[in-house]
């Protein structure tokens, strides 16, 4: 509360018309659990195109999408050269992880994991597939989501999950539904455009300073 009201007063002092939106833009991205499926087996190809594995002739199943956004600090300054560690389920809802008990078929052509960096303006971009929902327990279905770990020296390391708009399962999710309305609004990517049959989603990330 203190943080939000402080941000609110800073933004109104600076004369922004929509101080609440600005305050939201500068709220550090909420953290979320790493979950059980962080990759345990190294792989050669961890580039920004998860729809194709180097050396494979086939491409990943499902709806291919682009995720792009900017990493900033709480004052709105771009964070360059931040490392983004990204992993997710494939179009069948299956992780490339030995402990994933989901009987769904693993897509052998889906890369599943990427490590990329933000550019000089804090911008990052990757191509992937729309992850499917998957069972986390007998009574709990996780909505489609992408896991992120973001690190940059001087900033608090962030582990979080990105969600998609218009997913009925979001509201029922035991993790997502625990977040405040403000937190939920920044954890959901926005569909901003479409390149041919490739939807483009925007997901911006705000890092907090490292507190000693
Ligand atoms: Fe997950």
């Amino acid at each position: 509360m203190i943080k939000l009201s402080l941000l609110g007063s800073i933004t109104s002092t600076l004369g922004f018309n929509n101080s609440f939106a600005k305050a939201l833009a500068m709220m550090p991205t909420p953290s979320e659990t790493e979950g059980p499926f962080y990759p345990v087996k190294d792989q050669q190809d961890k580039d920004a195109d998860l729809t194709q594995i180097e050396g494979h002739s086939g491409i990943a199943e499902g709806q291919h999408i682009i995720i792009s956004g900017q990493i900033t600090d709480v004052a709105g300054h771009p964070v360059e050269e931040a490392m983004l560690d990204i992993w997710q389920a494939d179009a069948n809802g299956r992780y490339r992880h030995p402990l994933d008990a989901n009987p769904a078929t693993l897509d052998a052509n889906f890369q599943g994991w990427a490590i990329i960096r933000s550019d000089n303006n804090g911008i990052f971009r990757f191509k992937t597939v729309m992850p499917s929902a998957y069972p986390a327990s007998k009574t709990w279905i996780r909505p489609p989501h992408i896991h992120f770990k973001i690190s940059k020296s001087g900033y608090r390391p962030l582990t979080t999950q990105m969600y998609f708009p218009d997913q009925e399962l979001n509201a029922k999710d035991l993790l997502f539904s625990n977040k405040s309305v403000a937190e939920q609004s920044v954890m959901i990517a926005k569909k901003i455009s479409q390149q041919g049959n490739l939807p483009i989603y925007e997901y911006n990330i705000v890092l907090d300073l490292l507190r000693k």
Side-chain angles (χ1 to χ4, degrees):
M1 271 320 281
I2 291 167
K3 198 178 281 176
L4 264 185
S5 59
L6 178 65
L7 282 171
S9 62
I10 291 170
T11 52
S12 53
T13 306
L14 294 175
F16 291 120
N17 289 332
N18 190 344
S19 62
F20 183 66
K22 281 286 173 188
L24 271 187
M26 294 193 289
M27 179 177 79
T29 300
S31 64
E32 187 51 275
T33 169
E34 178 176 306
F37 301 129
Y38 182 77
V40 287
K41 191 169 169 250
D42 199 16
Q43 62 189 50
Q44 198 120 56
D45 190 357
K46 295 195 280 277
D47 74 358
D49 183 358
L50 289 87
T51 66
Q52 192 147 34
I53 298 176
E54 205 182 322
H56 287 220
S57 54
I59 57 165
E61 296 166 29
Q63 174 67 57
H64 293 192
I65 59 176
I66 299 279
I67 314 275
S68 182
Q70 186 180 35
I71 306 183
T72 60
D73 62 18
V74 289
H77 301 126
V79 178
E80 62 177 17
E81 292 289 309
M83 191 175 84
L84 298 97
D85 191 334
I86 301 157
W87 71 105
Q88 65 166 90
D90 64 20
N92 303 319
R94 180 76 197 272
Y95 282 87
R96 186 180 286 272
H97 191 287
L99 295 182
D100 187 359
N102 186 351
T105 308
L106 178 72
D107 180 356
N109 290 315
F110 179 54
Q111 189 176 293
W113 183 21
I115 296 183
I116 61 173
R117 284 180 189 277
S118 59
D119 71 9
N120 291 346
N121 294 312
I123 306 289
F124 66 91
R125 181 182 168 99
F126 61 97
K127 186 179 182 187
T128 188
V129 301
M130 184 69 172
S132 275
Y134 62 83
S137 75
K138 284 194 177 126
T139 54
W140 176 20
I141 311 263
R142 297 282 350 258
H145 61 277
I146 297 181
H147 294 263
F148 286 81
K149 280 193 214 183
I150 298 115
S151 55
K152 163 80 185 181
S153 69
Y155 294 89
R156 194 170 169 188
L158 173 68
T159 299
T160 192
Q161 301 184 22
M162 185 208 93
Y163 297 85
F164 289 88
D166 307 320
Q167 295 287 333
E168 271 181 40
L169 288 169
N170 285 349
K172 298 178 197 155
D173 184 53
L174 298 184
L175 297 177
F176 184 77
S177 62
N178 250 323
K179 300 293 186 195
S180 70
V181 172
E183 288 173 326
Q184 290 181 355
S185 74
V186 296
M187 294 177 86
I188 299 181
K190 292 178 186 65
K191 189 179 167 196
I192 51 166
S193 60
Q194 180 99 17
Q195 274 179 10
N197 55 8
L198 201 58
I200 318 280
Y201 289 90
E202 181 183 68
Y203 175 59
N204 296 318
I205 296 166
V206 181
L207 296 182
D208 207 355
L209 282 173
L210 196 59
R211 285 160 216 272
K212 293 183 179 152

